[in-house]
Amino acid sequence: MAMLIARIRSFFHSPRKNALVIALPLFIGGCATVIPPAGPEAAPSIAQQRSYQDVIDLGGRLSLRYQRNGNDEAVHGSFTWTQTPRHTLVTLLSPLGQTIATIAITPTQSTLTRAGEAPQTAMDVDALAARALGWPLPISGLRDWLQGFAIDANGSRFIATPQSRDASVTTGDGWRIRYGSWKNEHDLSAQNHPKRIDLERSTAQAGDVSLRMVIDQWQPR
């Protein structure tokens, strides 16, 4: 036992001990360099970057095809859309710029006004538009759809992007939406926005309905 203790003391006082002590941190440091550092989080996609605009002014053109009394009908014109969190004002215009109708929407009531006619009001703005215009205009959905956001028939959130050009989504109320073009087809920034939106739906009132909306004005406020 005494001899063993002597050997241990000799080792800790020998030059080899110093070399081992010096080499040990170098070895540890060398091991640390081979451990890959935590990589940066993946850059968010445009779908994650794009945000909904509560306050925005939109404008553009629309064309619609539908059936009435077994005959094909068409509507062409333009529109303006002014939106805040608690109010939306939609103006429908003829190809010559004459006002066809204005629709004002608040959380408690919607009012549709046509020239020379008494204003019509209802809680359901989509039902009001269909009754007064004779063809469906899904204003409640367009508040989201015009900006490229939707909830599909399964309740999942859909966010349109230029990469998913021509991808379609079908909503819970039966509208099939396709984003055919964007302001800039090659712009992957969050500032890009839909340019052309195509909507289709089969209805009891107006047969097969096709609605195309082209956004020419996009002005968040």
Side-chain angles (χ1 to χ4, degrees), residues 51-210:
S51 58
Y52 182 81
Q53 303 294 329
D54 285 315
V55 182
I56 192 170
D57 294 331
L58 302 171
R61 293 157 284 152
L62 63 82
S63 61
L64 178 138
R65 297 185 182 278
Y66 67 105
Q67 289 84 43
R68 182 170 59 184
N69 300 324
N71 299 316
D72 292 334
E73 300 284 347
V75 175
H76 302 283
S78 59
F79 72 95
T80 63
W81 182 288
T82 300
Q83 174 181 310
T84 67
R86 297 184 60 81
H87 183 263
T88 301
L89 178 64
V90 183
T91 303
L92 304 177
L93 304 149
S94 72
L96 298 178
Q98 300 167 322
T99 299
I100 298 174
T102 59
I103 308 169
I105 307 102
T106 69
T108 58
Q109 182 174 273
S110 299
T111 303
L112 187 147
T113 304
R114 304 186 70 171
E117 299 180 8
Q120 302 182 49
T121 62
M123 287 290 295
D124 187 333
V125 64
D126 293 347
L128 173 62
R131 182 177 69 246
L133 299 174
W135 40 270
L137 183 65
I139 292 175
S140 60
L142 285 170
R143 188 177 171 96
D144 295 330
W145 304 344
L146 287 172
Q147 296 192 44
F149 298 87
I151 301 296
D152 68 18
N154 297 318
S156 299
R157 189 180 186 213
F158 173 87
I159 304 177
T161 69
Q163 299 100 311
S164 61
R165 180 179 175 183
D166 287 333
S168 64
V169 57
T170 300
T171 66
D173 55 357
W175 283 98
R176 179 174 176 267
I177 310 168
R178 183 168 61 87
Y179 292 88
S181 66
W182 287 71
K183 178 185 177 183
N184 187 329
E185 301 296 343
H186 305 291
D187 182 3
L188 301 183
S189 72
Q191 287 68 43
N192 203 2
H193 61 79
K195 176 71 175 178
R196 193 189 81 222
I197 306 166
D198 297 316
L199 303 99
E200 298 176 346
R201 184 187 175 189
S202 294
T203 69
Q205 175 197 20
D208 293 333
V209 177
S210 297

